[in-house]
Short mmCIF file of all heavy atoms in Angstrom, two decimals:
data_model
loop_
_atom_site.label_atom_id
_atom_site.label_comp_id
_atom_site.label_asym_id
_atom_site.label_seq_id
_atom_site.Cartn_x
_atom_site.Cartn_y
_atom_site.Cartn_z
N LEU A 208 -0.57 14.24 -4.23
CA LEU A 208 -1.57 14.73 -5.12
C LEU A 208 -1.47 13.98 -6.41
O LEU A 208 -0.40 13.88 -7.00
CB LEU A 208 -1.24 16.22 -5.40
CG LEU A 208 -2.31 17.20 -5.70
CD1 LEU A 208 -3.02 17.53 -4.45
CD2 LEU A 208 -1.57 18.46 -6.22
N GLY A 209 -2.59 13.47 -6.90
CA GLY A 209 -2.54 12.78 -8.21
C GLY A 209 -3.88 12.63 -8.81
O GLY A 209 -4.92 12.42 -8.05
N PRO A 210 -4.03 12.76 -10.16
CA PRO A 210 -5.36 12.64 -10.80
C PRO A 210 -5.84 11.15 -10.81
O PRO A 210 -4.96 10.28 -10.94
CB PRO A 210 -5.02 13.08 -12.22
CG PRO A 210 -3.60 12.84 -12.45
CD PRO A 210 -2.92 12.95 -11.14
N ILE A 211 -7.11 10.99 -10.71
CA ILE A 211 -7.70 9.67 -10.82
C ILE A 211 -8.74 9.59 -11.96
O ILE A 211 -9.54 8.68 -11.99
CB ILE A 211 -8.27 9.09 -9.51
CG1 ILE A 211 -9.20 10.10 -8.90
CG2 ILE A 211 -7.07 8.74 -8.58
CD1 ILE A 211 -10.03 9.50 -7.76
N GLY A 212 -8.77 10.61 -12.82
CA GLY A 212 -9.69 10.58 -13.92
C GLY A 212 -10.96 11.40 -13.61
O GLY A 212 -11.28 11.65 -12.47
N GLY A 213 -11.69 11.83 -14.70
CA GLY A 213 -12.95 12.56 -14.53
C GLY A 213 -12.69 13.88 -13.90
O GLY A 213 -13.65 14.44 -13.29
N GLY A 214 -11.52 14.51 -14.01
CA GLY A 214 -11.26 15.80 -13.39
C GLY A 214 -11.08 15.74 -11.88
O GLY A 214 -11.09 16.79 -11.23
N VAL A 215 -11.00 14.57 -11.34
CA VAL A 215 -10.89 14.41 -9.90
C VAL A 215 -9.44 14.11 -9.49
O VAL A 215 -8.79 13.33 -10.17
CB VAL A 215 -11.81 13.30 -9.39
CG1 VAL A 215 -11.69 13.08 -7.88
CG2 VAL A 215 -13.26 13.63 -9.66
N THR A 216 -9.00 14.69 -8.41
CA THR A 216 -7.66 14.49 -7.89
C THR A 216 -7.74 13.88 -6.45
O THR A 216 -8.58 14.31 -5.64
CB THR A 216 -6.90 15.82 -7.81
OG1 THR A 216 -6.76 16.30 -9.13
CG2 THR A 216 -5.54 15.68 -7.13
N THR A 217 -6.91 12.87 -6.23
CA THR A 217 -6.84 12.38 -4.78
C THR A 217 -5.81 13.22 -4.02
O THR A 217 -4.70 13.45 -4.57
CB THR A 217 -6.31 10.92 -4.79
OG1 THR A 217 -7.28 10.15 -5.49
CG2 THR A 217 -6.20 10.35 -3.40
N VAL A 218 -6.16 13.70 -2.89
CA VAL A 218 -5.32 14.57 -2.13
C VAL A 218 -5.12 13.85 -0.75
O VAL A 218 -6.09 13.57 -0.07
CB VAL A 218 -6.01 15.96 -1.86
CG1 VAL A 218 -4.99 16.84 -1.15
CG2 VAL A 218 -6.35 16.58 -3.18
N ALA A 219 -3.85 13.57 -0.46
CA ALA A 219 -3.55 12.91 0.87
C ALA A 219 -2.64 13.79 1.72
O ALA A 219 -1.57 14.16 1.28
CB ALA A 219 -2.86 11.56 0.64
N LEU A 220 -3.16 14.24 2.81
CA LEU A 220 -2.36 15.03 3.74
C LEU A 220 -1.93 14.09 4.86
O LEU A 220 -2.72 13.44 5.50
CB LEU A 220 -3.30 16.11 4.39
CG LEU A 220 -2.80 16.89 5.59
CD1 LEU A 220 -1.63 17.80 5.20
CD2 LEU A 220 -3.92 17.75 6.17
N VAL A 221 -0.53 14.10 5.02
CA VAL A 221 0.04 13.19 6.05
C VAL A 221 0.77 14.01 7.11
O VAL A 221 1.63 14.84 6.78
CB VAL A 221 0.99 12.16 5.37
CG1 VAL A 221 1.58 11.18 6.41
CG2 VAL A 221 0.31 11.37 4.28
N VAL A 222 0.39 13.86 8.41
CA VAL A 222 1.03 14.71 9.39
C VAL A 222 1.44 13.83 10.68
O VAL A 222 0.85 12.74 10.85
CB VAL A 222 0.06 15.80 10.00
CG1 VAL A 222 -0.26 16.79 8.84
CG2 VAL A 222 -1.30 15.16 10.44
N PRO A 223 2.46 14.28 11.37
CA PRO A 223 2.76 13.47 12.60
C PRO A 223 1.63 13.54 13.56
O PRO A 223 0.99 14.57 13.70
CB PRO A 223 3.99 14.28 13.07
CG PRO A 223 4.42 15.23 12.09
CD PRO A 223 3.24 15.45 11.17
N VAL A 224 1.55 12.47 14.34
CA VAL A 224 0.50 12.41 15.38
C VAL A 224 0.68 13.59 16.33
O VAL A 224 -0.32 14.20 16.77
CB VAL A 224 0.67 11.06 16.19
CG1 VAL A 224 -0.28 11.02 17.41
CG2 VAL A 224 0.27 9.91 15.19
N ARG A 225 1.91 13.96 16.64
CA ARG A 225 2.14 15.01 17.63
C ARG A 225 1.57 16.40 17.15
O ARG A 225 1.30 17.29 17.96
CB ARG A 225 3.63 15.16 17.97
CG ARG A 225 4.47 15.65 16.78
CD ARG A 225 5.96 15.81 17.16
NE ARG A 225 6.72 15.59 15.98
CZ ARG A 225 6.81 16.46 14.96
NH1 ARG A 225 6.22 17.64 14.96
NH2 ARG A 225 7.62 16.14 13.93
N ALA A 226 1.36 16.53 15.79
CA ALA A 226 0.86 17.80 15.25
C ALA A 226 -0.69 17.82 15.32
O ALA A 226 -1.27 18.86 14.95
CB ALA A 226 1.38 17.99 13.90
N LEU A 227 -1.29 16.76 15.65
CA LEU A 227 -2.77 16.72 15.56
C LEU A 227 -3.50 17.67 16.44
O LEU A 227 -4.45 18.31 15.95
CB LEU A 227 -3.24 15.28 15.92
CG LEU A 227 -3.06 14.25 14.83
CD1 LEU A 227 -3.56 12.88 15.20
CD2 LEU A 227 -3.72 14.71 13.49
N PRO A 228 -3.10 17.93 17.68
CA PRO A 228 -3.92 18.84 18.50
C PRO A 228 -4.01 20.22 17.88
O PRO A 228 -5.09 20.89 18.10
CB PRO A 228 -3.13 18.91 19.82
CG PRO A 228 -2.30 17.63 19.85
CD PRO A 228 -1.98 17.32 18.42
N ASN A 229 -3.04 20.73 17.15
CA ASN A 229 -3.11 22.11 16.60
C ASN A 229 -3.43 22.06 15.15
O ASN A 229 -3.14 23.02 14.39
CB ASN A 229 -1.75 22.79 16.84
CG ASN A 229 -1.32 22.82 18.25
OD1 ASN A 229 -2.16 23.02 19.13
ND2 ASN A 229 -0.04 22.43 18.50
N ARG A 230 -4.00 20.97 14.69
CA ARG A 230 -4.15 20.81 13.19
C ARG A 230 -5.21 21.79 12.66
O ARG A 230 -6.30 21.82 13.19
CB ARG A 230 -4.61 19.35 12.95
CG ARG A 230 -4.54 19.00 11.51
CD ARG A 230 -4.90 17.51 11.33
NE ARG A 230 -6.33 17.31 11.55
CZ ARG A 230 -7.28 17.38 10.64
NH1 ARG A 230 -6.92 17.75 9.37
NH2 ARG A 230 -8.51 17.14 10.85
N PRO A 231 -4.89 22.59 11.60
CA PRO A 231 -5.92 23.39 10.98
C PRO A 231 -6.90 22.51 10.17
O PRO A 231 -6.60 21.29 10.02
CB PRO A 231 -5.13 24.30 10.04
CG PRO A 231 -3.84 23.55 9.78
CD PRO A 231 -3.59 22.64 10.94
N GLY A 232 -7.91 23.11 9.57
CA GLY A 232 -8.83 22.37 8.72
C GLY A 232 -8.09 21.81 7.50
O GLY A 232 -6.98 22.22 7.18
N PHE A 233 -8.70 20.84 6.83
CA PHE A 233 -8.05 20.18 5.71
C PHE A 233 -7.52 21.17 4.61
O PHE A 233 -6.30 21.18 4.31
CB PHE A 233 -9.07 19.16 5.04
CG PHE A 233 -8.47 18.33 3.96
CD1 PHE A 233 -7.51 17.34 4.28
CD2 PHE A 233 -8.80 18.53 2.70
CE1 PHE A 233 -7.03 16.55 3.26
CE2 PHE A 233 -8.32 17.76 1.63
CZ PHE A 233 -7.43 16.73 1.98
N PHE A 234 -8.34 22.03 4.16
CA PHE A 234 -7.92 23.00 3.04
C PHE A 234 -7.02 24.05 3.58
O PHE A 234 -6.07 24.42 2.93
CB PHE A 234 -9.20 23.56 2.39
CG PHE A 234 -9.84 22.52 1.41
CD1 PHE A 234 -11.02 21.94 1.83
CD2 PHE A 234 -9.27 22.19 0.25
CE1 PHE A 234 -11.62 20.97 1.00
CE2 PHE A 234 -9.87 21.21 -0.58
CZ PHE A 234 -11.04 20.67 -0.21
N GLN A 235 -7.24 24.45 4.88
CA GLN A 235 -6.35 25.43 5.47
C GLN A 235 -4.94 24.88 5.51
O GLN A 235 -3.92 25.52 5.28
CB GLN A 235 -6.76 25.76 6.90
CG GLN A 235 -7.70 26.86 7.07
CD GLN A 235 -8.13 26.93 8.46
OE1 GLN A 235 -8.81 25.96 9.01
NE2 GLN A 235 -7.82 27.97 9.16
N ALA A 236 -4.85 23.56 5.87
CA ALA A 236 -3.50 22.92 6.00
C ALA A 236 -2.82 22.86 4.54
O ALA A 236 -1.61 23.12 4.45
CB ALA A 236 -3.63 21.49 6.51
N LEU A 237 -3.61 22.61 3.52
CA LEU A 237 -3.08 22.53 2.16
C LEU A 237 -2.52 23.88 1.76
O LEU A 237 -1.46 23.95 1.07
CB LEU A 237 -4.09 22.08 1.18
CG LEU A 237 -4.73 20.68 1.38
CD1 LEU A 237 -5.78 20.39 0.29
CD2 LEU A 237 -3.71 19.61 1.48
N GLU A 238 -3.19 24.97 2.12
CA GLU A 238 -2.75 26.29 1.70
C GLU A 238 -1.41 26.67 2.28
O GLU A 238 -0.73 27.59 1.73
CB GLU A 238 -3.76 27.33 2.21
CG GLU A 238 -5.15 27.32 1.44
CD GLU A 238 -5.01 27.59 -0.01
OE1 GLU A 238 -4.29 28.59 -0.30
OE2 GLU A 238 -5.62 26.90 -0.88
N GLN A 239 -0.91 26.02 3.31
CA GLN A 239 0.37 26.32 3.95
C GLN A 239 1.53 25.78 3.12
O GLN A 239 2.70 26.12 3.42
CB GLN A 239 0.41 25.79 5.37
CG GLN A 239 -0.57 26.45 6.22
CD GLN A 239 -0.71 25.86 7.64
OE1 GLN A 239 -0.06 24.89 7.94
NE2 GLN A 239 -1.57 26.44 8.47
N PHE A 240 1.28 24.91 2.12
CA PHE A 240 2.40 24.48 1.30
C PHE A 240 2.49 25.35 0.06
O PHE A 240 1.57 25.64 -0.65
CB PHE A 240 2.04 23.01 0.80
CG PHE A 240 2.04 21.97 1.90
CD1 PHE A 240 1.00 21.85 2.75
CD2 PHE A 240 3.12 21.11 2.04
CE1 PHE A 240 0.98 20.92 3.77
CE2 PHE A 240 3.17 20.17 3.02
CZ PHE A 240 2.11 20.03 3.92
N PRO A 241 3.77 25.82 -0.20
CA PRO A 241 3.98 26.87 -1.24
C PRO A 241 3.50 26.37 -2.62
O PRO A 241 2.99 27.14 -3.39
CB PRO A 241 5.48 27.10 -1.25
CG PRO A 241 6.11 26.14 -0.32
CD PRO A 241 5.05 25.55 0.53
N GLY A 242 3.65 25.09 -2.88
CA GLY A 242 3.16 24.62 -4.26
C GLY A 242 1.71 24.33 -4.34
O GLY A 242 1.28 23.82 -5.40
N LEU A 243 0.95 24.49 -3.24
CA LEU A 243 -0.43 24.12 -3.24
C LEU A 243 -1.37 25.35 -3.07
O LEU A 243 -2.56 25.24 -3.41
CB LEU A 243 -0.75 23.11 -2.12
CG LEU A 243 -0.05 21.76 -2.31
CD1 LEU A 243 -0.34 20.87 -1.07
CD2 LEU A 243 -0.45 21.06 -3.55
N ALA A 244 -0.84 26.35 -2.52
CA ALA A 244 -1.67 27.57 -2.15
C ALA A 244 -2.47 27.99 -3.40
O ALA A 244 -1.94 28.18 -4.47
CB ALA A 244 -0.85 28.69 -1.59
N GLY A 245 -3.78 28.24 -3.20
CA GLY A 245 -4.61 28.79 -4.23
C GLY A 245 -5.09 27.74 -5.26
O GLY A 245 -5.77 28.13 -6.22
#
Side-chain angles (χ1 to χ4, degrees):
L208 208 74
I211 51 165
V215 175
T216 297
T217 299
V218 184
L220 168 68
V221 181
V222 293
V224 171
R225 67 179 151 72
L227 284 180
N229 305 316
R230 192 176 73 86
F233 185 72
F234 286 104
Q235 273 173 294
L237 300 182
E238 290 296 318
Q239 294 172 359
F240 290 78
L243 295 178

